[in-house]
Amino acid sequence: MRHFGHIAPVVRERLFFQEPCAFGPDSPAQVLSAALGATLYSPATRPRLADDIVKQAGRGVVSMVLCLEDSIDDSEVAGAEENLVRQFADLDARGGEVPLLFIRVREPGQIGDLVHRLGTTVRMLSGFVLPKFTEGRGVPFMEALAEAEKASGRRLFAMPVLESPELLHLETRRETLRGIARTVDTYRDRVLALRLGVTDFCSAYGLRRAPDMTAYDVQLVGGVIADVVNVLGRADGSGFTITGPVWEYFRLQERMFKPQLRQSPFLEGRAEELRTTLIEHDLDGLLREIGLDRANGLLGKTCIHPSHVAPVHALSVVSHEEFSDAEDILRPERGGGGVMRSAYTNKMNEVKPHRAWAERTLLRAEVFGVAGPDIGFVDLLSASVAE
């Protein structure tokens, strides 16, 4: 699979200076963690789940989570597990390419049980999402994952969700973060990415952000995100990929503030109708939050609606200017440091301080591609939604 693989090759050739690479379930973990993109969640109870997975793969989705936790009622868990086994068998019988598939479980015991019940169809499973992850809850989850991996002979990744009240509350945050750091470091080879449960953070204080507010506008939440990145997202080799929080809205709501999308990029691209659609579906707030995710060190995003996928992926593509800067910074002859004017003559590139940024940028360029010199976000999004 590859990002933007659902777009016709002739269109991709026009859009990209460097096209996204191909990857699959057996690719290196570093590649997969960067390539997750918009991870689309779906309740595991859906009766036509296999059809949904195939359809979303055809629309550019490369990672999905099939949820047995908060998205379904407690009374539905047993039936949802049975449904997953049936739907995986259906997918296996069809053959063909599917997204990276993860199952969000509730308890450690579900991991081994589901892997056993899936049988040979476990080959289509990339791992498990582990809710309310702390040191106390996380160790049993990771041990169960290791046992299931050994029993199945299949590499299985973990994506812990950081969402517990202990992480939010100031008096327990530091030790909770230390415990999480110890746990994920112990099982580093199995941890693909860390996910943020911002809805649970808000719940602890009876909050819910409006569609014209980002997670970062809720200062309680923004503070937790900053601390998580501080401890678990470092660029010194100890950090992990941390994905952006879910955006809850996908239909028109009553607005208090003006739309946040400037008109000029859409006018230049003759995409005024696209701008109107984004605003009508409250996706202008999503776009702003994606930008803030990137500025705060997050990559990828949890998504609960297919309409969120294309904006996340379009904003993940590396611009030609970013690519040019990153390549200049990482040239072998500049290993000793120094400072230079960018090729676009609009900024300073300082080799040593900007090196980690450049390395991350080139990894993102590998999986999401590099836009052509005259190609912007509007061009990429317009092409994605047109398919």
Side-chain angles (χ1 to χ4, degrees), residues 170-197:
L170 189 61
E171 66 273 20
T172 53
R173 184 180 307 170
R174 179 173 294 185
E175 185 51 41
T176 300
L177 271 172
R178 286 175 176 167
I180 291 170
R182 286 192 292 265
T183 306
V184 294
D185 187 58
T186 299
Y187 296 94
R188 176 171 293 274
D189 291 345
R190 290 191 172 89
V191 177
L192 188 60
L194 305 177
R195 311 199 73 89
L196 290 165

Side-chain angles (χ1 to χ4, degrees), residues 63-110:
S63 63
M64 290 186 68
V65 172
L66 314 176
C67 185
L68 293 167
E69 210 227 359
D70 285 347
S71 69
I72 66 174
D73 189 87
D74 295 346
S75 64
E76 298 178 300
V77 175
E81 291 176 344
E82 294 173 2
N83 187 53
L84 280 180
V85 175
R86 288 194 301 270
Q87 301 296 335
F88 269 71
D90 186 351
L91 286 172
D92 188 54
R94 300 184 193 203
E97 192 174 86
V98 297
L100 303 173
L101 298 177
F102 301 85
I103 297 174
R104 179 171 176 167
V105 291
R106 295 182 173 215
E107 302 296 338
Q110 289 178 292

Side-chain angles (χ1 to χ4, degrees), residues 33-178:
S33 68
L36 288 168
T39 300
L40 185 63
Y41 275 54
S42 177
T45 51
R46 292 180 67 88
R48 299 179 64 85
L49 187 58
D51 291 337
D52 295 340
I53 291 169
V54 171
K55 180 172 69 175
Q56 296 307 327
R59 294 178 174 178
V61 173
V62 303
S63 63
M64 290 186 68
V65 172
L66 314 176
C67 185
L68 293 167
E69 210 227 359
D70 285 347
S71 69
I72 66 174
D73 189 87
D74 295 346
S75 64
E76 298 178 300
V77 175
E81 291 176 344
E82 294 173 2
N83 187 53
L84 280 180
V85 175
R86 288 194 301 270
Q87 301 296 335
F88 269 71
D90 186 351
L91 286 172
D92 188 54
R94 300 184 193 203
E97 192 174 86
V98 297
L100 303 173
L101 298 177
F102 301 85
I103 297 174
R104 179 171 176 167
V105 291
R106 295 182 173 215
E107 302 296 338
Q110 289 178 292
I111 293 176
D113 180 58
L114 282 168
V115 166
H116 174 72
R117 290 163 67 182
L118 287 172
T120 58
T121 67
V122 76
R123 68 178 185 82
M124 294 182 294
L125 182 66
S126 291
F128 291 88
V129 174
L130 312 178
K132 300 172 179 62
F133 195 92
T134 60
E135 186 173 31
R137 280 179 57 85
V139 170
F141 271 123
M142 297 306 299
E143 289 177 346
L145 183 70
E147 292 173 6
E149 187 177 67
K150 183 177 179 181
S152 66
R154 167 78 181 165
R155 181 179 69 167
L156 296 169
F157 287 113
M159 290 202 291
V161 186
L162 311 186
E163 56 186 346
S164 65
E166 299 96 319
L167 184 58
L168 183 64
H169 297 157
L170 189 61
E171 66 273 20
T172 53
R173 184 180 307 170
R174 179 173 294 185
E175 185 51 41
T176 300
L177 271 172
R178 286 175 176 167

